[in-house]
Amino acid sequence: MPLFKKRTVGKPGEWYYCLEHKKVEEGPECPGKDRFGPYASRSEAERAMEIARERNLQWENDPRWHDAPASERDD
């Protein structure tokens, strides 16, 4: 009997995009550090990189996440 049991994260029916293997997988196959998800469907997981790009662009253009220029700061 093994001393430590390997635990998986996620459940079958949840879809992930593996950054290491560049593929969609159902349930926990690769470590959490190497994947995006979970996604509700396979097609959504297939768009993982596109979704990440869209979210990054939204974040980069969100004025709430940028520091005010030095001239506008309250000192």
Side-chain angles (χ1 to χ4, degrees):
M1 185 156 122
L3 183 59
F4 297 102
K5 246 185 171 177
K6 182 180 176 185
R7 290 186 173 205
T8 56
V9 178
K11 303 172 202 155
E14 292 180 335
W15 295 91
Y16 298 88
Y17 181 80
C18 176
L19 300 166
E20 180 78 19
H21 301 108
K22 312 262 188 283
K23 69 175 187 128
V24 173
E25 51 190 43
E26 182 180 11
E29 288 183 29
C30 293
K33 68 180 181 66
D34 293 331
R35 66 181 187 231
F36 284 164
Y39 296 97
S41 67
R42 180 179 187 87
S43 60
E44 189 178 3
E46 289 171 345
R47 294 186 50 243
M49 296 306 292
E50 182 182 341
I51 291 168
R53 277 190 294 276
E54 290 169 359
R55 289 178 180 169
N56 286 341
L57 188 58
Q58 287 174 347
W59 178 82
E60 290 168 3
N61 293 314
D62 188 336
R64 295 176 296 173
W65 296 107
H66 295 283
D67 292 333
S71 62
E72 296 177 17
R73 290 187 193 145
D74 294 330
D75 291 320

